[in-house]
Amino acid sequence: MSRDRFSEAGERLKDARLRALATTTLAIVWTTDPDGSIQSENPSWAAFTGQTRKQYEIHGWLEAIHPEDRQRLFEEWRSALRQTRRFAADYRLRRHDGEYRDVTAEGAPVFEGKRVVEWVGYCIDVTDRHRAEAALTQSEARLRFFDELGVATRSIVDATQVMGITARLLGEHLGATRTAYADVEADSDRFHIRNDWSIAGVASSAGTYSLTSFGPQAVSMLRQSINLVIHDVDRELGDEGGGRMFNAIGIKAIICAPLVKEGRLVAMMAVHQSHPRRWGDKEVAIVSEVVERCWAHIERVGDTAKLLEQDRHKDDFLATLAHELRNPLAPLRYASEILRLAPPGGNRAKQAQDMIDRQVGHMARLIDDLLDLSRVNRGLINLKLEPVGLRGLLEQAVETSRPALEAARHRLEVSLPDEDVFIIADPARIVQIVGNLLNNAAKYTPDGGRIRVAAWKSDGHALIEVVDNGIGIPPNQQGRLFQMFTQLHHTASRAQGGLGIGLALVKTLVQLHGGDVRVFSKGLDEGSAFTVELPLQQRQRLVPDASAALIDRGSRDSAGVRVLVVEDNEDGLTSLLTLLETMGFEAVGAADGPAGLEAAERFLPDAVLLDLGLPGMDGFAVARALRAHPRHAGVVLVALTGWGSEADQKRTAATGFDRHLTKPVEPQTLRDTLKELTARTDRRHPV
């Protein structure tokens, strides 16, 4: 065989080996002539890049290199050729689908003697490895960041400090210009940046702003818990789309991550950049996670602050209680000794007896307040509701407070309307409410002051007002006034004893009646005005001489409708039966569950007003028994109870009740409910 034919056979064998290698490895295997040009077929290069032989021949392969890497790579390749040394380089190579991939390449010269006859090398796609390494690096950086954030804020108990530290660490981690945490007002478009962080020379953004400045589209996104991500303010936002606002504070790119809780936008974390910036998905994700964590920590801080405040209130209460219990003991001990030593029937003995009466009365009131507080906390106060006029109740309240008023020589003015104002209420509790307000006014008004109590009706409500010209209340303390165990600092010299629970009881008792209480004071030494608002009885009196029209109408609307009332409170049952009969219903009552079921068999009611907290067999069991009985399956069931939470209402609905009414219910509401529900059913007096 001639040398030329042998050389040609060798070339064919080499090409065959390269083709086989190209099809069995993920690497790109390449060969070039000694001068670095490609003259022969290169199958693995063609498979990866999609270049044809005509395209990659000579130096055409450079066209597949990323333009930014091309010149550098060619110079490194030429340097290796000149020095006939090993070649190694990293660059980006265009794949056949157009995506540039990270590759690492190596090549070496092949010698025959001292002469280079060709170059052989390979390229390996390392894109996935680089991405995995980058992801691992980012993950490690993220974990380090959140660990640092946790350590820095763990012991902080001030919400504003938490916001500031979080903003600083996030800004430094992302290399941002400024970061800010904002809380959003409920039912408002205002938000407050209470603390932020920015690089040197950039002004703080702390302040109060309107969400509308973001533009309607951005506001809609934020309220729907969609991140606002702007890479270039000028290109992506117009002036009306929020660009004007961002430019005004020197911002060209922003991430704003909203936090939505129970359908309401409550907070936002914003990251600002003073130049356009292409934000990555992981950067956006970390901002979202930060606002969530920050909010959770702030809530924990708030809960801790509340617990500390409650603990302080408890300590204050116990100290005050000890003081209040010791105060009467001293005069009682002295009076006891006077009675032992003084002649019977003398003036000193009489003074000692009066002293004992006063101090025992003081202790009795103290104990009553404590018991009422306990009942309120356990939900055990049961109102004894009845139709009643305010005139008589206010007169009783004035009488109970008269000793305190006269002792301080206060001038009392009572202003009542000519026509009495009627409500459905527990008379004793209304007297207690007004009496507490009058005693409070007497206590915190300098001797010889002026106090006025008035009542009137307005817009379907009865209003009671107690006004004094006393020491007043600073505006920033008025929100705490109705909290239990609260005695404001500026009142210490005037407190004259007390546990700080009188006004808290007033608020609770008013709310149990379906009303509200509020206070107004211009400030220190400006006096105070307490206003109690109670639902007004629809008709002024439910007795024959003043309610003929109501009875008439009730009889027409309610005639023949039978109502069974199951209620274990005797006064509540009696007053409710009287009210129903006055409205024209046929009504009977039962004091417990079994008696209610027996009454249902005899009376065959159209509707049952059913208390839930019955002894033994509760209202839910009674309701299930009635629904299971063929004769009563269609009876109207109305829960009439002091339990009124959403969970309670869901439970009654699931048990089969038609309606849930919370005590105390407006008489007109009760009448309308019974009329509406009984009109829907054909079940009337079954046999």
Side-chain angles (χ1 to χ4, degrees):
M1 179 181 293
S2 69
R3 182 179 182 86
D4 290 342
R5 292 182 63 189
F6 181 80
S7 176
E8 184 179 344
E11 286 294 324
R12 287 198 298 272
L13 181 59
K14 182 185 74 172
D15 288 345
R17 289 200 304 269
L18 288 176
R19 290 192 188 91
L21 187 60
T23 59
T24 57
T25 181
L26 296 178
I28 304 170
V29 181
W30 51 265
T31 62
T32 73
D33 289 348
D35 63 358
S37 64
I38 297 177
Q39 302 289 345
S40 58
E41 187 178 356
N42 199 325
S44 60
W45 180 273
F48 187 89
T49 65
Q51 285 186 312
T52 64
R53 178 171 177 174
K54 185 176 182 180
Q55 289 173 323
Y56 64 69
E57 275 186 338
I58 313 302
H59 296 298
W61 56 273
L62 282 168
E63 292 300 316
I65 310 302
H66 193 285
E68 295 177 3
D69 300 338
R70 193 174 297 159
Q71 185 62 34
R72 170 185 60 81
L73 179 65
F74 187 57
E75 290 175 358
E76 291 177 1
W77 173 234
R78 291 177 61 185
S79 175
L81 291 173
R82 287 195 301 270
Q83 300 176 39
T84 62
R85 58 172 172 79
R86 176 180 169 276
F87 165 77
D90 295 318
Y91 55 92
R92 287 166 288 180
L93 179 62
R94 187 179 64 234
R95 197 167 59 183
H96 56 80
D97 58 3
E99 179 185 352
Y100 281 98
R101 307 283 289 180
D102 295 336
V103 299
T104 183
E106 290 191 23
V110 177
F111 291 91
E112 281 188 2
K114 294 184 178 181
R115 183 172 65 89
V116 175
V117 294
E118 65 177 345
W119 286 76
V120 177
Y122 66 88
C123 302
I124 298 177
D125 185 343
V126 293
T127 305
D128 293 338
R129 187 183 76 194
H130 284 179
R131 289 176 179 174
E133 290 171 349
L136 180 61
T137 300
Q138 288 181 340
S139 178
E140 290 173 345
R142 173 185 169 279
L143 291 174
R144 284 195 299 271
F145 165 72
F146 279 114
D147 182 63
E148 183 182 2
L149 180 61
V151 170
T153 59
R154 188 173 297 127
S155 61
I156 305 299
V157 295
D158 179 80
T160 303
Q161 280 187 276
V162 172
M163 297 177 194
I165 292 172
T166 302
R168 175 178 63 82
L169 292 177
L170 179 63
E172 291 173 348
H173 178 72
L174 294 179
T177 301
R178 177 169 51 214
T179 49
Y181 181 94
D183 54 272
V184 183
E185 286 187 6
D187 304 321
S188 171
D189 68 349
R190 295 199 308 172
F191 64 92
H192 307 277
I193 298 176
R194 306 187 190 278
N195 208 338
D196 67 352
W197 170 88
S198 58
I199 61 175
V202 175
S204 169
S205 60
T208 299
Y209 304 88
S210 172
L211 278 172
T212 56
S213 59
F214 282 100
Q217 183 177 357
V219 173
S220 176
M221 291 173 61
L222 293 172
R223 292 196 184 280
Q224 295 178 65
S225 195
I226 301 173
N227 291 325
L228 177 65
V229 182
I230 304 298
H231 308 285
D232 188 330
V233 165
D234 294 331
R235 293 181 59 184
E236 298 175 48
L237 298 177
D239 283 349
E240 300 304 319
R244 183 186 296 110
M245 185 268 291
F246 290 126
N247 278 312
I249 58 175
I251 297 305
K252 295 297 185 181
I254 183 173
I255 300 172
C256 188
L259 184 65
V260 175
K261 295 289 186 182
E262 297 179 353
R264 185 177 74 82
L265 178 64
V266 296
M268 301 180 291
M269 178 63 80
V271 178
H272 299 161
Q273 201 73 47
S274 58
H275 54 78
R277 172 173 175 173
R278 175 60 57 177
W279 303 105
D281 292 341
K282 288 184 171 58
E283 292 171 324
V284 176
I286 203 170
V287 178
S288 294
E289 188 169 353
V290 165
V291 71
E292 181 79 42
R293 291 191 180 207
C294 189
W295 176 263
H297 189 81
I298 288 171
E299 283 190 318
R300 288 194 296 272
V301 166
D303 290 342
T304 301
K306 288 178 183 177
L307 289 174
L308 292 173
E309 180 72 7
Q310 289 172 0
D311 195 51
R312 186 185 67 78
H313 277 315
K314 180 201 69 177
D315 291 342
D316 291 347
F317 167 70
L318 292 175
T320 305
L321 177 60
H323 176 268
E324 288 299 299
L325 289 174
R326 287 193 184 101
N327 271 348
L329 290 178
L332 284 173
R333 177 172 292 177
Y334 303 151
S336 174
E337 185 66 12
I338 291 170
L339 288 174
R340 191 175 68 83
L341 298 175
N347 187 50
R348 288 185 177 179
K350 177 67 167 58
Q351 289 177 340
Q353 289 172 345
D354 291 343
M355 187 185 303
I356 290 172
D357 287 342
R358 287 194 300 273
Q359 296 307 320
V360 169
H362 174 73
M363 293 189 74
R365 288 192 298 274
L366 181 67
I367 293 169
D368 285 342
D369 278 353
L370 286 170
L371 290 175
D372 274 346
L373 176 64
S374 175
R375 294 187 191 105
V376 166
N377 286 339
R378 291 183 293 155
L380 296 180
I381 284 187
N382 290 316
L383 300 180
K384 300 175 181 179
L385 302 176
E386 60 183 70
V388 63
L390 279 181
R391 182 187 297 276
L393 300 183
L394 294 187
E395 290 172 351
Q396 292 179 51
V398 168
E399 285 305 310
T400 61
S401 304
R402 193 171 295 281
L405 296 167
E406 291 179 348
R409 303 187 307 281
H410 294 315
R411 297 190 301 277
L412 177 66
E413 176 187 347
V414 180
S415 177
L416 299 175
D418 294 334
E419 184 180 1
D420 205 352
V421 178
F422 287 87
I423 59 175
I424 293 290
D426 184 327
R429 294 302 183 182
I430 299 300
V431 171
Q432 183 181 8
I433 289 168
V434 180
N436 278 7
L437 291 176
L438 285 170
N439 288 335
N440 193 71
K443 183 185 296 185
Y444 297 109
T445 299
D447 291 355
R450 297 189 309 275
I451 297 174
R452 182 174 68 90
V453 59
W456 68 96
K457 57 183 178 180
S458 174
D459 296 329
H461 290 86
L463 299 178
I464 305 169
E465 187 175 65
V466 176
V467 183
D468 64 64
N469 66 337
I471 63 175
I473 309 163
N476 63 345
Q477 296 188 38
Q478 292 175 21
R480 298 178 48 233
L481 200 60
F482 295 103
Q483 296 176 6
M484 285 191 287
F485 313 134
T486 295
Q487 289 182 327
L488 305 184
H489 299 305
H490 78 290
T491 66
S493 62
R494 295 288 309 174
Q496 304 172 1
L499 297 175
I501 62 178
L503 291 178
L505 281 173
V506 165
K507 185 176 182 67
T508 300
L509 291 172
V510 170
Q511 289 178 335
L512 286 174
H513 280 83
D516 192 21
V517 60
R518 52 187 177 270
V519 62
F520 172 76
S521 175
K522 292 181 179 179
L524 290 177
D525 301 320
E526 294 289 342
S528 304
F530 289 84
T531 303
V532 174
E533 184 178 278
L534 296 168
L536 186 66
Q537 168 57 37
Q538 296 299 313
R539 304 297 296 183
Q540 289 190 339
R541 293 195 64 179
L542 294 180
V543 294
D545 63 333
S547 60
L550 179 61
I551 294 174
D552 233 17
R553 186 190 64 188
S555 299
R556 289 196 303 270
D557 292 346
S558 310
V561 176
R562 298 182 179 184
V563 181
L564 169 62
V565 181
V566 186
E567 166 67 69
D568 65 322
N569 183 289
E570 182 178 351
D571 290 334
L573 177 60
T574 301
S575 61
L576 187 53
L577 290 174
T578 301
L579 178 61
L580 290 169
E581 290 170 356
T582 304
M583 289 177 172
F585 295 100
E586 296 180 39
V588 299
D592 56 42
L597 294 177
E598 291 177 7
E601 285 299 303
R602 296 191 310 271
F603 186 56
L604 300 176
D606 298 302
V608 180
L609 295 178
L610 190 53
D611 187 22
L612 299 180
L614 299 171
M617 186 181 192
D618 66 18
F620 294 102
V622 175
R624 285 191 289 267
L626 289 171
R627 285 284 181 248
H629 197 296
R631 298 181 72 188
H632 306 303
V635 70
V636 169
L637 294 183
V638 178
L640 185 58
T641 174
W643 304 101
S645 71
E646 184 178 352
D648 295 323
Q649 295 180 41
K650 288 182 178 178
R651 188 180 176 196
T652 53
T655 306
F657 283 88
D658 297 288
R659 193 67 56 88
H660 185 117
L661 299 179
T662 305
K663 298 176 182 178
V665 64
E666 280 282 343
Q668 185 67 27
T669 300
L670 178 62
R671 189 191 71 83
D672 291 345
T673 299
L674 290 172
K675 179 184 174 185
E676 172 199 347
L677 294 178
T678 54
R680 293 179 183 177
T681 177
D682 294 331
R683 181 188 183 279
R684 301 299 296 270
H685 311 173
V687 293

